[in-house]
Amino acid sequence: MRSLLRKYTLPGLIICLLGLAALGLAYIIWLGDTRHGLLPCLAAALSAALFALVCLRFVPGWMRFWSGGKYRAPAPSLAEPARIRTSIFIWLLVYCLLLQIFIYVLFAALGRGRGLAEYLEFWKCLDSGHYVDIARDWYLSEGSRDRVVQLVFLPGYPLAMRLMHFFVRDWVLSGLLVSILSFSAAGSVIYSLLRLDYGHEESLRAVSYLCLLPGSFFFVAPMSESLFLLLSAGCVYLVRRGKIGAGCLLGAYAAFTRSLGLMLFVPACMELVHEAVDAPRGRRRPARFLWLLLIPAGFGAYLAVNYQVSGNPFQYMIYQSEHWGQNLGLFFNTAAYQLEGFLSSLGNNAPYAYGLWLPNLVFDFAALAVMIPAARDMRPSYTAWFIAYYFVSIGATWLLSSPRYMISLLPFFLALSSLARTRTRDAALSAALIILNILYAIAFVLRWQVW
């Protein structure tokens, strides 16, 4: 116990105690109001406990990170193959094409269709159809309810589709190309970002695990995951390199693409505070913090679109609540209702049990489980990013897309790859992920409620 307490400064210990008290109180209040059964309540308790462990592992590093001179980042090896970033981009392009071929083979083999036109139409089964409508027609202020509520989908990705449509005169194909090119570029940027702290092999392994994650087919779908990943990695990389304005500008577009882009404020702010406390007193530049305002300004531009279309800058929240039952809640409540959904559909509704609820539960808990050991050594700004992102994204009151949210979060697959530092672990984990990815892709093609 003494050795554990020695890791914490007095401010860190106070933060931990206050955080645990707040989380415990939130759980007790939730437990008093909930109508869930015993097992869902236990799942919620486990979720809260794992989250608390991530936070407890994070606090000592955070205290050092914001104490001048006390935090020492690892010194990565400078050795790396020539033109490695170009090679990563090309290999990921090949990977995306192979993944598209694999999905098409599944599509044909499972009797979903055979022609290219049918295959392109199939990709609209997800939110892709909404993005296609927005890219083609923009947002509608009146018309069918299904079209009007598309205001909840942010404009960043449809605008990129519009740009690609100048060159490729098909909306779905335009989206596919935006996603494939964004994912390939994201791999190179992620490698560059990780090389600031890790060696070549570790950085490359993290990129490879990004490709192996169950649900990686979302990266080649006409959806915003790949673009968001590229913008997020670019934002953090540029901020780390001292190019704060350019980094926050990418963060602004990320927040204009997905609301979770707002969470980039956390790592960017963490890095600026770290820079400030480490700099000599006369060389601190507080005006640099003003660049952080660009990130919420990107989301503010989306609110302006809401106002222009509907007359209410927060109309998207009304549509989310009324049409999808989506509000901001407590992340451990998500574990409860998802387990309840799994148990209720088990045995009589396989598409919901194994296509929807089980993958969501696995990602909810796996993300926390892998972050617990990783939080000790991971750069504190990345762990803070994970904590904020997880709290908000998993806290949705009707969450159907945990896999999509988690695979787009850099600290998650970085933490996952950190578990595979030996050849045996790497081989075992890679094999398990490949099998799960294939099974999840089959469920997706069969439309087993994979969202």
Side-chain angles (χ1 to χ4, degrees), residues 116-309:
L116 179 60
E118 289 179 282
Y119 181 64
L120 291 177
E121 187 66 23
F122 164 75
W123 278 111
K124 294 168 66 175
C125 63
L126 296 161
D127 291 341
S128 314
H130 298 300
Y131 285 123
V132 167
D133 289 340
I134 297 166
R136 184 186 60 236
D137 305 324
W138 199 234
Y139 298 100
L140 301 184
S141 58
E142 55 185 23
S144 70
R145 181 71 171 174
D146 288 343
R147 293 295 304 277
V148 172
V149 298
Q150 289 175 337
L151 191 58
V152 305
F153 297 96
L154 276 71
Y157 183 72
L159 287 176
M161 289 176 65
R162 274 193 172 188
L163 180 61
M164 183 62 71
H165 192 259
F166 282 114
F167 308 99
V168 182
R169 309 305 293 182
D170 181 275
W171 288 109
V172 175
L173 189 56
S174 296
L176 291 172
L177 287 174
V178 169
S179 295
I180 289 171
L181 292 173
S182 295
F183 182 70
S184 302
S188 297
V189 176
I190 289 167
Y191 174 84
S192 297
L193 172 60
L194 297 183
R195 286 292 282 122
L196 299 177
D197 300 301
Y198 303 95
H200 164 70
E201 290 188 2
E202 289 179 281
S203 302
L204 198 59
R205 184 173 63 240
V207 175
S208 69
Y209 271 84
L210 172 64
C211 298
L212 297 179
L213 283 171
S216 60
F217 51 83
F218 286 122
F219 290 125
V220 299
M223 295 171 63
S224 62
E225 272 67 31
S226 290
L227 179 60
F228 179 74
L229 182 67
L230 172 61
L231 295 167
S232 299
C235 169
V236 179
Y237 175 69
L238 289 173
V239 168
R240 288 283 312 271
R241 292 298 303 272
K243 300 175 181 178
I244 311 301
C248 290
L249 195 59
L250 287 185
Y253 198 78
F256 191 60
T257 300
R258 296 181 71 170
S259 58
L260 287 168
L262 286 168
M263 299 302 104
L264 289 166
F265 188 94
V266 175
C269 183
M270 289 279 292
E271 291 293 340
L272 285 181
V273 173
H274 173 67
E275 175 193 81
V277 298
D278 250 14
R281 186 173 297 273
R283 297 183 61 186
R284 294 174 182 173
R285 294 173 286 177
R288 286 161 70 83
F289 283 86
L290 293 175
W291 287 116
L292 292 172
L293 298 176
L294 282 174
I295 297 175
F299 191 74
Y302 167 59
L303 298 183
V305 171
N306 271 255
Y307 181 78
Q308 184 271 325
V309 173

Side-chain angles (χ1 to χ4, degrees), residues 80-147:
E80 62 182 41
R83 297 182 291 277
I84 181 61
R85 291 156 185 81
T86 303
S87 298
I88 290 173
F89 180 83
I90 293 172
W91 278 112
L92 289 184
L93 272 181
V94 173
Y95 167 79
C96 290
L97 294 175
L98 291 175
L99 191 53
Q100 280 288 349
I101 292 171
F102 173 67
I103 297 294
Y104 178 77
V105 169
L106 283 180
F107 178 74
L110 296 173
R112 310 297 290 179
R114 290 191 178 275
L116 179 60
E118 289 179 282
Y119 181 64
L120 291 177
E121 187 66 23
F122 164 75
W123 278 111
K124 294 168 66 175
C125 63
L126 296 161
D127 291 341
S128 314
H130 298 300
Y131 285 123
V132 167
D133 289 340
I134 297 166
R136 184 186 60 236
D137 305 324
W138 199 234
Y139 298 100
L140 301 184
S141 58
E142 55 185 23
S144 70
R145 181 71 171 174
D146 288 343
R147 293 295 304 277

Side-chain angles (χ1 to χ4, degrees), residues 5 15 50 66 150-152 205 309 330 363 372 388 421 432:
L5 290 177
I15 289 171
L50 293 176
W66 280 6
Q150 289 175 337
L151 191 58
V152 305
R205 184 173 63 240
V309 173
L330 295 166
F363 271 87
I372 291 171
R421 288 177 176 165

